[in-house]
Structure formats: structure tokens, C-alpha cells
Amino acid sequence: MAYKHGVYVQEQATKLIAPVLGTAGLQVVVGTAPVNMLDNPAAACNTPLLVQSYAEAVGAVGYSADFDAYTLCESISVNFQVVGTGPMVFINVLDPAKHSATIEETELDVTDGVAHLEAVGVLPATLNVMNGETELKRDEDYTTLFNEDGTLSIALIGGTATTLTVSGKRLDPDLVTHTDIIGGVDVNTGKETGLEVVRQIYPKLGMTPGILLAPRFSANPNVSAALQAKTKDINGVFKAVTVIDIDSTAEGATKYTDVKEQKEKQAVTDPNAYAVWGYGKLGDVVYSGSALAASLTAYTDAVNGDIPNVSPSNKTLSIGAICLADGTEI
């Protein structure tokens, strides 16, 4: 019988630490996500999506490191990569039918059967791919694959080409406004959007909202007001708290002495509202204060037997610096 002698090393991919689970401080996050990466983007719009792990979250709404454009991804990173807690409920308001832009006809070079489209947010179902005068069919003549930076690769199946001409549509998160976050009810269809979807969480998921937030968007006074209003009489029974970002852009408070005035401008006065000024920086990544504070609050509840009676104040948070929205360290 043969034996191995010496030292042998085998490397495995690093796994994320399992989150500490708790529902007393169940976070309900309203924002935007790269749903173009999903098989059915429309199904992930204005509906409560429960996620309990990093993999579930990415599978539910997609993932991008561009947190300014895709705010739900910020909460994914904060909760599952920085703090380590869950679950959460996501409400994505970025609707491909409403928030999209045209990709003008572009000629792409094909190398080893693959062409790269540099546009971010591409909706694969809308692509028109031409090989000369021949229109190619998706999943028959070509397949698509998203790259880590959000761009798209088009791989030919069986055929050959030196160039492809491509047009279509892409998500445009810049078209999402505070009115999309606030949402409403369609008088004709009864469909609820934005913060109005919070009402659906209990009947659909059997869970009660604990913390409402809309990272980055909550710096808007209208969103601040809507979040505070939604903390009361949820389903006519429940109440929650909300964590709100105090605007730290050039139009808001860029130093701590301006915070009181900016808080008053945003009308953050409700006893159920917690105002947070400043962002957190971890390496080169900048996280909004509301996402960090809400995650740490949920974590504190979870490790306290899921009983929300311990303040997250003075608890350790894994960030390297406090900064303004543009990354300038305070």
C-alpha cells in the first residue's frame, strides 16, 4: 500500500461567513438592482423579495459593485460581506419597461467566436444581433454571458463571423427618481409600487417589517417623509423604524455643524426615524450610513436572542473611515 510523504497543499475558493439570522430587525430595502441579469427581469420589479444569503440575494436581483446606480447591491454587500446578518426583504423599483435606454447600432469584432459589448445593463432579450444581412437568434445562433464589470459577451454557437452588428436596450438607473421609491397605487389595476409594496410583506411572506430604508435615496426630503409615514400602522397592526441618510453632498451638510439644519430641511422628526450623517469607507468602497446602521442594528438584535432591546450604539463596525457621499474623509 502506497503512502504520501511530505506536505501537500490544496487551495479552495474563500467562502462567505454564514450570516447571523434574525427577524426582529427585519430590513426592508427599497431601491434599484441590475435585474437585467435575471431570466425574467420584470418579475423582480415592485414585489417583496426575501433573501437569506448572498447567493439568494444575487439570484433574486443580480449584483453590481456600482452602488450609486444599484442601491440594493449596497445592502447585499453590507449585510453579507461586511456585517454578516440576514435575512432581508428587497423591493426593486427599477423597471426595464420604464427605466431603459436605447443601445445604438454598434459593430463588434469577433475573436475566437466571442464578441464583447461594452454597454452596462444590457437587456439580452431586446438584442438584435446581425451577422452581415443575417439576423441571429438567441440560444440558437448565439448565447450571452455577463462579465464581472456588468458588460456582456456574445458567444456564437456553431457559426462563424468576423464582426457582428448589435442594437437593443439597456437599463438606465439614472431615470429612477424619488417618485419611484415613494411609489403609489394604480387606480386602474390596483398594482402597488415603491414603498406601497411594504403592505404586501406580511400577507405574502408571513414576516413583519422591522427597519425600513432606501439607501442614498432617503437623502431626498420627499423620500424621508414617505419612509417616516410608512413606519406606522403597517397592515393596520404593525409598526417599524426607519434609518434615513442625511444629505452629505455639496447641496447638503458637508460638515457636522450643518447636520442639524439639513436634518430639519429633510423634516426628519418622527420618533420612529433615526437620522444618520456620513458614509462609511472600507478600502476604496463607500457605503451609505443608512445601510451600515440598519445592518448593525439587525445584527445586534439577532445576537441578542432576536430581542430588539439593545442599542447598536458603540458597537463595532468594520469600516476604515467616515466620509462624505463623494468619498471625502471626515
Side-chain angles (χ1 to χ4, degrees), residues 39-60:
D39 292 334
N40 186 3
C45 299
N46 289 299
T47 188
L49 302 168
L50 176 65
V51 299
Q52 305 208 42
S53 66
Y54 180 84
E56 281 188 17
V58 174

Side-chain angles (χ1 to χ4, degrees), residues 148-201:
E148 287 188 5
D149 60 358
T151 58
L152 190 75
S153 291
I154 301 172
L156 297 176
I157 301 175
T160 58
T162 56
T163 62
L164 296 175
T165 303
V166 178
S167 61
K169 289 187 175 182
R170 63 174 179 82
L171 294 180
D172 189 350
D174 290 338
L175 296 178
V176 177
T177 68
H178 68 274
T179 58
D180 296 301
I181 299 296
I182 296 169
V185 180
D186 189 309
V187 294
N188 296 314
T189 65
K191 180 177 175 57
E192 296 165 320
T193 60
L195 281 166
E196 294 300 320
V197 178
V198 170
R199 186 198 64 78
Q200 300 178 20
I201 294 172

Side-chain angles (χ1 to χ4, degrees), residues 52-127:
Q52 305 208 42
S53 66
Y54 180 84
E56 281 188 17
V58 174
V61 296
Y63 188 79
S64 169
D66 185 356
F67 298 155
D68 280 325
Y70 302 112
T71 58
L72 294 185
C73 296
E74 175 179 33
S75 284
I76 293 175
S77 181
V78 167
N79 284 274
F80 297 121
Q81 295 179 321
V82 179
V83 176
T85 189
M88 293 181 291
V89 174
F90 288 147
I91 299 173
N92 166 61
V93 303
L94 203 166
D95 186 348
K98 181 180 178 182
H99 309 115
S100 62
T102 300
I103 300 173
E104 301 296 339
E105 196 170 273
T106 306
E107 187 174 285
L108 307 176
D109 293 326
V110 178
T111 303
D112 296 329
V114 179
H116 298 285
L117 181 60
E118 293 300 321
V120 174
V122 177
L123 292 159
T126 69
L127 285 181

Side-chain angles (χ1 to χ4, degrees), residues 9-300:
V9 177
Q10 183 178 23
E11 293 187 0
Q12 292 183 330
T14 301
K15 295 182 179 180
L16 293 172
I17 298 173
V20 177
L21 302 179
T23 60
L26 179 67
Q27 298 173 74
V28 178
V29 193
V30 184
T32 53
V35 293
N36 62 299
M37 296 180 174
L38 309 179
D39 292 334
N40 186 3
C45 299
N46 289 299
T47 188
L49 302 168
L50 176 65
V51 299
Q52 305 208 42
S53 66
Y54 180 84
E56 281 188 17
V58 174
V61 296
Y63 188 79
S64 169
D66 185 356
F67 298 155
D68 280 325
Y70 302 112
T71 58
L72 294 185
C73 296
E74 175 179 33
S75 284
I76 293 175
S77 181
V78 167
N79 284 274
F80 297 121
Q81 295 179 321
V82 179
V83 176
T85 189
M88 293 181 291
V89 174
F90 288 147
I91 299 173
N92 166 61
V93 303
L94 203 166
D95 186 348
K98 181 180 178 182
H99 309 115
S100 62
T102 300
I103 300 173
E104 301 296 339
E105 196 170 273
T106 306
E107 187 174 285
L108 307 176
D109 293 326
V110 178
T111 303
D112 296 329
V114 179
H116 298 285
L117 181 60
E118 293 300 321
V120 174
V122 177
L123 292 159
T126 69
L127 285 181
N128 180 35
V129 181
M130 303 291 293
N131 181 6
E133 299 296 322
T134 304
E135 181 177 351
L136 304 185
K137 295 181 179 179
R138 185 184 176 199
D139 295 330
E140 291 184 18
D141 302 312
Y142 72 91
T143 187
T144 57
L145 176 69
F146 285 101
N147 305 309
E148 287 188 5
D149 60 358
T151 58
L152 190 75
S153 291
I154 301 172
L156 297 176
I157 301 175
T160 58
T162 56
T163 62
L164 296 175
T165 303
V166 178
S167 61
K169 289 187 175 182
R170 63 174 179 82
L171 294 180
D172 189 350
D174 290 338
L175 296 178
V176 177
T177 68
H178 68 274
T179 58
D180 296 301
I181 299 296
I182 296 169
V185 180
D186 189 309
V187 294
N188 296 314
T189 65
K191 180 177 175 57
E192 296 165 320
T193 60
L195 281 166
E196 294 300 320
V197 178
V198 170
R199 186 198 64 78
Q200 300 178 20
I201 294 172
Y202 180 71
K204 284 188 174 182
L205 305 177
M207 306 178 80
T208 57
I211 306 171
L212 308 182
L213 64 155
R216 304 183 188 231
F217 287 104
S218 60
N220 178 281
N222 296 297
V223 175
S224 297
L227 282 167
Q228 292 174 87
K230 281 298 172 188
T231 61
K232 303 174 179 65
D233 296 323
I234 302 171
N235 300 110
V237 178
F238 310 112
K239 68 178 181 178
V241 298
T242 181
V243 184
I244 293 172
D245 288 304
I246 297 302
D247 189 0
S248 62
T249 65
E251 292 74 30
T254 57
K255 54 184 184 294
Y256 77 92
T257 52
D258 297 333
V259 172
K260 179 178 182 295
E261 181 182 356
Q262 181 59 37
K263 179 174 178 285
E264 291 169 351
K265 285 182 180 179
Q266 291 180 220
V268 184
T269 58
D270 195 281
N272 294 333
Y274 296 89
V276 177
W277 177 69
Y279 282 47
K281 183 182 287 187
L282 183 58
D284 295 327
V285 182
V286 174
Y287 297 102
S288 66
S290 65
L292 289 167
S295 181
L296 184 60
T297 302
Y299 176 85
T300 303

